[in-house]
Amino acid sequence: MSEVGGRDGEYLLDRWLADAEQLAPAAGRDRWLAEGSLLLRGWSEPHRSYHTTEHLAEVLLALDELRLAAMMDEDEALTARAIGWYHDLAYDPRAEPGSNEHRSATLARDHLHKLGVDQERVDTVERGVLMTRDHHLGEDTRHTGALAAMHDADLWILAAPIPRYERYREQVRQEYTHVPDELFRAGRAQILRGFADRDRLYLTEHAHLAWTERARRNLAAELQALSHGV
């Protein structure tokens, strides 16, 4: 997957309108536009450094790559993108663990209901947003095409090219400037070890084969840097 660079609001709004037309065809363009504006405002809040429109665009591009690799069908891809649009809509780095995901899931459920999206898809989107808290699907195997793809797309950043990964590290630190360095390094290392210790980091076959090696190199390098106080 190529790097996103400076994706602007017009690009994302066009993508949202294409998805909204499929998700809620009866809602109409005015309501699609209103929801798209709300989404972009949320993803553009000034306190964000990593959880921004850049991350959203990267998730959408990762999902495109997984769809092209036949990791899901078109309907699953639409559901996965819907999860992507809402998964970090509510984001406050000072919030309690899990609060952002629960608030984002509630927003997704409420807003998609109001647009007229069918109940089964709304349920899957809600579950997918909640899954991004710890990136575990659990034992329920329903809708695993969309959910597995979103799981992997949200973690694509771990396999990013080194310059992008280094910038990602800086962005995460900027979001947590309120946390002292020692506490941040300890917390960050704990999170990264949780991923590094997994037997399988990515769920879809394409991501497993194409992204795992880069991700493990990035994780190992950052863990080493954290252990040296960097």
Side-chain angles (χ1 to χ4, degrees):
M1 188 182 79
S2 61
E3 292 189 60
V4 174
R7 294 291 186 177
D8 58 19
E10 184 177 354
Y11 163 80
L12 286 170
L13 185 59
D14 285 345
R15 291 213 59 166
W16 164 254
L17 290 174
D19 285 343
E21 187 173 6
Q22 297 181 70
L23 289 166
R29 186 174 178 83
D30 287 347
R31 293 177 65 191
W32 302 335
L33 280 169
E35 187 68 11
S37 296
L38 178 144
L39 287 166
L40 292 180
R41 284 197 304 273
W43 283 91
S44 302
E45 292 169 329
H47 64 269
R48 298 173 183 242
S49 297
Y50 171 63
H51 296 85
T52 64
T53 54
E54 181 181 26
H55 170 55
L56 173 60
E58 287 171 337
V59 166
L60 295 175
L61 289 176
L63 290 172
D64 290 346
E65 181 177 332
L66 295 172
R67 172 65 191 110
L68 287 173
M71 296 296 100
M72 51 185 164
D73 62 30
E74 287 292 347
D75 189 66
E76 290 170 327
L78 179 61
T79 299
R81 291 194 300 274
I83 299 168
W85 284 109
Y86 287 92
H87 78 285
D88 284 324
L89 183 56
Y91 183 75
D92 178 358
R94 296 176 182 266
E96 292 296 317
S99 175
N100 289 320
E101 292 82 5
H102 280 280
R103 288 190 296 131
S104 295
T106 298
L107 286 169
R109 172 172 285 279
D110 290 348
H111 286 244
L112 292 175
H113 268 153
K114 290 176 182 176
L115 286 171
V117 178
D118 67 272
Q119 183 65 52
E120 184 177 6
R121 198 185 305 272
V122 171
D123 289 345
T124 306
V125 170
E126 180 182 37
R127 181 169 169 242
V129 172
L130 292 172
M131 175 270 299
T132 62
R133 175 183 176 179
D134 57 11
H135 293 88
H136 283 290
L137 287 181
E139 296 179 359
D140 188 348
T141 59
R142 292 175 301 165
H143 312 292
T144 52
L147 293 174
M150 181 57 202
H151 170 281
D152 290 356
D154 199 31
L155 297 181
W156 170 85
I157 192 64
L158 300 180
I162 291 173
R164 173 63 183 115
Y165 190 86
E166 288 299 314
R167 191 160 54 84
Y168 154 65
R169 285 190 61 191
E170 295 170 1
Q171 290 170 334
V172 172
R173 186 66 186 106
Q174 288 168 12
E175 288 186 342
Y176 287 88
T177 54
H178 59 284
V179 179
D181 285 344
E182 186 175 352
L183 289 177
F184 175 81
R185 287 194 296 269
R188 177 74 176 161
Q190 182 179 17
I191 291 170
L192 295 183
R193 284 194 203 97
F195 288 119
D197 290 345
R198 293 188 181 189
D199 292 333
R200 179 164 176 150
L201 184 56
Y202 294 108
L203 300 180
T204 66
E205 193 65 14
H206 174 80
H208 176 62
L209 295 175
W211 302 350
T212 297
E213 183 177 351
R214 292 200 313 267
R216 293 205 180 278
R217 281 202 308 265
N218 286 335
L219 288 168
E222 184 174 358
L223 283 167
Q224 183 176 30
L226 289 168
S227 71
H228 288 87
V230 180

